[in-house]
Amino acid sequence: MSVLLELENVHTYYGHIHALKGVDLTVEQGEIVTLVGSNGAGKSTSLRTISGMVRPRQGVVRLDGRDITMMKPHDVTALGIGHVPEGRRIFPLLTVRENIEIGAWNVSSRSETNQRMEQMFTLFPRLKERLEQKGGTLSGGEQQMLAIARALMSEPRVLLLDEPSMGLAPVLVEGIFDIIKRINAEGTTILLVEQNALMALEVAKRGYVLQTGVVKLSDSASALLHNEEVRKLYLGEN
């Protein structure tokens, strides 16, 4: 396995708030890696730093050995990083088709765009049924599918998923995690932020525990699942 994504001594701020304090992490080709931590731990900020939405004041972000730290978000996407942000951020007044097509902004061939869209319908058949509906009229689960499909249209090497199960009914959460496993099995490396730490660790190969912007623990997902502190703080055990 080779390291595909790497953060080295990353410090990210929001104004005077020191959100990431020297974060080091790696994601190897083909892995699912999850970030575990409470609200405000720096999980979403880590993803936003990788995708170029915020820039660190110190440290380096690398994709396949290339320094992408100061690149603009569209350049990061073009290099192979897809980001599904917290809250989905679809365009509610655009149709499902239009939302998906936006994800292929860097594809010049119409036939290639159509081919990729057909692949999305194989993964998310429900979206094909809703193709001409406005994005804002979809259910929460369908909107999450749409957000993931839009990100996959750029054929990312690494997919950043931020809270994909947020606000979804338990039965839909299982469906989303099945999709995550399938995307990974088909070759996409995934860095996952997820409030449901138990499910995240069950699908991941490795995990990092963040506390107030610092990596406190990193290990295999199975080891973290059996870690007493992790079980008490993040898996709801007494």
Side-chain angles (χ1 to χ4, degrees):
M1 288 279 189
S2 60
V3 173
L4 184 54
L5 179 66
E6 181 181 13
L7 275 67
E8 182 182 341
N9 192 32
V10 168
H11 293 258
T12 300
Y13 289 75
Y14 294 111
H16 296 297
I17 299 170
H18 198 173
L20 298 183
K21 304 167 184 173
V23 167
D24 294 305
L25 67 84
T26 59
V27 182
E28 294 185 357
Q29 176 76 44
E31 284 190 308
I32 299 178
V33 173
T34 188
L35 305 183
V36 176
S38 56
N39 288 338
K43 306 185 303 297
S44 294
T45 301
S46 297
L47 301 193
R48 290 167 60 86
T49 301
I50 293 165
S51 66
M53 295 174 70
V54 293
R55 290 182 175 177
R57 291 191 192 173
Q58 185 180 334
V60 183
V61 180
R62 298 186 186 92
L63 177 66
D64 207 9
R66 179 174 180 173
D67 186 345
I68 63 168
T69 314
M70 303 308 288
M71 287 187 178
K72 295 178 179 177
H74 64 273
D75 292 325
V76 173
T77 301
L79 281 177
I81 292 181
H83 188 180
V84 182
E86 182 181 351
R88 293 139 205 168
R89 306 284 178 86
I90 64 158
F91 297 97
L93 298 181
L94 299 184
T95 65
V96 168
R97 180 195 299 275
E98 290 165 337
N99 269 278
I100 295 174
E101 287 179 340
I102 284 171
W105 60 270
N106 59 340
V107 180
S108 55
S109 163
R110 182 73 232 180
S111 62
E112 175 67 19
T113 299
N114 290 339
Q115 184 179 337
R116 292 187 188 186
M117 191 174 289
E118 285 302 319
Q119 292 171 347
M120 293 307 104
F121 297 149
T122 301
L123 196 58
F124 305 105
R126 201 177 304 178
L127 294 182
K128 189 169 187 177
E129 300 168 9
R130 309 280 193 271
L131 204 52
E132 304 308 328
Q133 272 186 233
K134 296 284 177 63
T137 67
L138 301 182
S139 69
E142 290 165 347
Q143 288 188 19
Q144 188 63 65
M145 292 175 195
L146 180 56
I148 295 172
R150 181 180 62 190
L152 289 175
M153 283 292 284
S154 65
E155 295 193 337
R157 301 175 69 190
V158 183
L159 183 64
L160 311 177
L161 288 172
D162 197 349
E163 303 287 8
S165 79
M166 181 177 283
L168 302 185
V171 65
L172 295 177
V173 172
E174 288 195 15
I176 289 294
F177 272 87
D178 285 342
I179 288 165
I180 290 169
K181 288 187 283 188
R182 182 173 170 185
I183 291 167
N184 178 247
E186 292 177 357
T188 303
T189 302
I190 294 174
L191 181 57
L192 171 66
V193 166
E194 171 55 48
Q195 60 181 350
N196 189 328
L198 177 61
M199 290 198 74
L201 288 168
E202 285 178 343
V203 301
K205 181 179 180 182
R206 294 188 299 114
Y208 291 84
V209 177
L210 270 65
Q211 290 180 9
T212 57
V214 177
V215 175
K216 288 293 186 182
L217 187 61
S218 65
D219 211 329
S220 68
S222 59
L224 292 175
L225 274 170
H226 294 94
N227 181 287
E228 189 175 333
E229 185 178 4
V230 171
R231 294 179 75 87
K232 188 164 71 172
L233 289 175
Y234 306 112
L235 304 183
E237 294 193 0
N238 295 322

